[in-house]
Amino acid sequence: MKQLENEYPCAINLVIDLIGGKWKVLILWNLNRSTKRFSELQRAIPGITQKVLAQQLKELEEQGLIIGKAYPIAPARVEYSTAELGKKLQRTLNEMCNRGDQYADAHQIERKECWIGSGAAVR
């Protein structure tokens, strides 16, 4: 589990610790689009394992970026959504996607999908 430091040289270092890595940005992106159950997130993020998804969800929840709402039914059901702090990151995530698109266009890099606009995957 990634532990946050008590002091950082710059706020960017803190943000990297909060959402850095291969999966957290994709999890936040998907949850900013809609509330999802674990299995829906796993299908939406190709390549992520159950173990890694569970770990990343736990970290994001502990850091206050997402909310996991458990329902007292059998089988157990948890729905994940973004907390206010996670929602505030969406503008930054959109800019990251825009910059990636611009770079890809300038360097003739193909993309399979992009979520800019209405939130639906396109391409």
Side-chain angles (χ1 to χ4, degrees), residues 18-31:
L18 286 170
I19 64 169
K22 186 174 181 179
W23 304 111
K24 287 183 179 179
V25 168
L26 297 174
I27 292 168
L28 283 171
W29 184 274
N30 277 279
L31 292 179

Side-chain angles (χ1 to χ4, degrees), residues 27-43:
I27 292 168
L28 283 171
W29 184 274
N30 277 279
L31 292 179
N32 272 324
R33 292 172 61 203
S34 66
T35 297
K36 292 191 177 5
R37 293 191 316 264
F38 186 94
S39 60
E40 293 173 311
L41 275 171
Q42 192 170 19
R43 281 191 302 273

Side-chain angles (χ1 to χ4, degrees), residues 6-103:
N6 290 325
E7 183 178 314
Y8 285 89
C10 177
I12 291 173
N13 298 93
L14 173 57
V15 173
I16 290 169
D17 275 356
L18 286 170
I19 64 169
K22 186 174 181 179
W23 304 111
K24 287 183 179 179
V25 168
L26 297 174
I27 292 168
L28 283 171
W29 184 274
N30 277 279
L31 292 179
N32 272 324
R33 292 172 61 203
S34 66
T35 297
K36 292 191 177 5
R37 293 191 316 264
F38 186 94
S39 60
E40 293 173 311
L41 275 171
Q42 192 170 19
R43 281 191 302 273
I45 306 171
I48 194 167
T49 65
Q50 283 185 318
K51 179 183 176 183
V52 170
L53 179 57
Q55 177 185 10
Q56 299 293 280
L57 288 169
K58 184 176 180 181
E59 285 182 24
L60 288 167
E61 195 170 5
E62 286 177 355
Q63 294 162 346
L65 296 171
I66 68 169
I67 299 165
K69 182 177 180 182
Y71 292 89
I73 59 173
R77 179 175 146 192
V78 180
E79 290 184 342
Y80 295 94
S81 59
T82 48
E84 281 305 308
L85 182 55
K87 289 176 185 172
K88 289 178 181 179
L89 287 170
Q90 188 58 35
R91 186 182 320 159
T92 301
L93 300 177
N94 286 342
E95 283 302 311
M96 289 171 65
C97 193
N98 286 332
R99 294 307 143 264
D101 274 343
Q102 289 174 358
Y103 187 90

